[in-house]
Amino acid sequence: MHVLVTGAAGMLGRALLAALASRGGAARVTPVDIDDFDLADAAAVVAALDRHRPDVVFNCAAFTAVDECETRREYAEQVNGEAPGVLARWCRAHGARLVHISSDYVFDGAARAPIAEDAATGPVSAYGASKLLGEQRVAQAGGDYLIVRTAWLFAPWGRSFLQFVLGRLTQGQPAPVITDQVGSPTYAPDLAEALVRLIEVRATGIVHFVNTGACTWAEFAEHLRTCAGLSGTLTPIVAADLHRPAARPAYSVLATQRYTRLVGNPPRTWQDAARDAVQRWRCGG
């Protein structure tokens, strides 16, 4: 089996390459990133797919600068919205499988209980709208596809909340942490393993995956600080204090019952995942 991973240099891409490698060479893996697979260029995407001829495409690439999406809407729609459709149409035409990564930002944040896959969408930002467009383009293309929504991705590498909080505290600087947004932190290696398992059980349609449990960013930061054995100041703020261009969902806890039914066991808690991530952060990632 030949697997192509887009966004391979990113936080999730790096974890997915490790998860695939752990299968002992069962798949031939081709990692690509923006320098050789620019999703904004549809013709280049098709040419690259024709050249590599994968059996499975994991689309981990996205334009994730949420605030920048507000002023670069056309680019966000191309990369996050139209490009997944290009991938899906190629996969359908060539009998390949597509696994596309989507986001909790497709929801409006008004829920107060974990959100199921069939809940009504309603993005409140340009980024969320572009990710929803990507889902729609993939579904319209048809074929053998899987859309996996996730949220609050973190890792001991790359630009993540863990790096921000522990980096600030290590440098003796206060870390501002939001108290009025609730979600489920998701450890990139856990998501990567989930993606491989979902492929192994031939999952299709839409599946949610996050680590079990819910918290605010402030509670997540407090747990990270405790796990790292650090002192330092966590400064509580509300989201409005940051005056960011893009709105974020106030509540984006995703329900994972479908994932559990498909693979046979639930995701581990975000607290357990965070402890592992902090240990790896101590060791340099």
Side-chain angles (χ1 to χ4, degrees), residues 124-159:
V124 295
S125 67
Y127 172 73
S130 71
K131 293 298 289 183
L132 180 58
L133 179 61
E135 292 187 8
Q136 292 167 341
R137 292 292 186 260
V138 169
Q140 288 164 1
D144 190 357
Y145 72 84
L146 171 66
I147 295 168
V148 180
R149 294 184 183 133
T150 192
W152 290 28
L153 199 63
F154 72 96
W157 58 78
R159 296 177 60 187

Side-chain angles (χ1 to χ4, degrees), residues 23-152:
R23 294 309 196 266
R28 177 166 64 93
V29 180
T30 298
V32 294
D33 211 83
I34 190 169
D35 289 341
D36 45 17
F37 202 95
D38 186 356
L39 288 176
D41 186 341
V45 169
V46 171
L49 290 169
D50 285 341
R51 183 169 64 255
H52 292 295
R53 294 279 170 168
D55 302 301
V56 180
V57 176
F58 286 94
N59 184 31
C60 302
F63 180 43
T64 58
V66 175
D67 292 321
E68 195 175 342
C69 285
E70 295 297 316
T71 54
R72 300 184 65 193
R73 288 174 179 257
E74 184 175 346
Y75 182 74
E77 288 177 359
Q78 183 60 46
V79 173
N80 297 338
E82 300 297 345
V86 174
L87 295 173
R89 289 190 294 274
W90 188 94
C91 287
R92 182 198 62 199
H94 295 83
R97 304 193 70 193
L98 173 65
V99 181
H100 173 63
I101 312 305
S102 192
S103 168
D104 59 317
Y105 277 59
V106 302
F107 298 109
D108 63 10
R112 288 298 176 265
I115 305 164
E117 286 84 354
D118 59 355
T121 54
V124 295
S125 67
Y127 172 73
S130 71
K131 293 298 289 183
L132 180 58
L133 179 61
E135 292 187 8
Q136 292 167 341
R137 292 292 186 260
V138 169
Q140 288 164 1
D144 190 357
Y145 72 84
L146 171 66
I147 295 168
V148 180
R149 294 184 183 133
T150 192
W152 290 28

Side-chain angles (χ1 to χ4, degrees), residues 184-251:
S184 298
T186 307
Y187 188 32
D190 286 4
L191 174 57
E193 179 64 24
L195 295 177
V196 177
R197 295 188 70 185
L198 287 166
I199 280 290
E200 291 171 344
V201 300
R202 305 292 300 182
T204 60
I206 300 176
V207 177
H208 288 173
F209 182 89
V210 291
N211 283 110
T212 298
C215 62
T216 66
W217 289 109
E219 290 166 338
F220 185 23
E222 178 61 43
H223 185 68
L224 291 172
R225 181 174 66 174
T226 299
C227 290
L230 297 173
S231 57
T233 302
L234 299 174
T235 306
I237 61 172
V238 295
D241 290 340
L242 295 177
H243 304 290
R244 295 179 293 192
R248 272 76 168 169
Y251 180 95

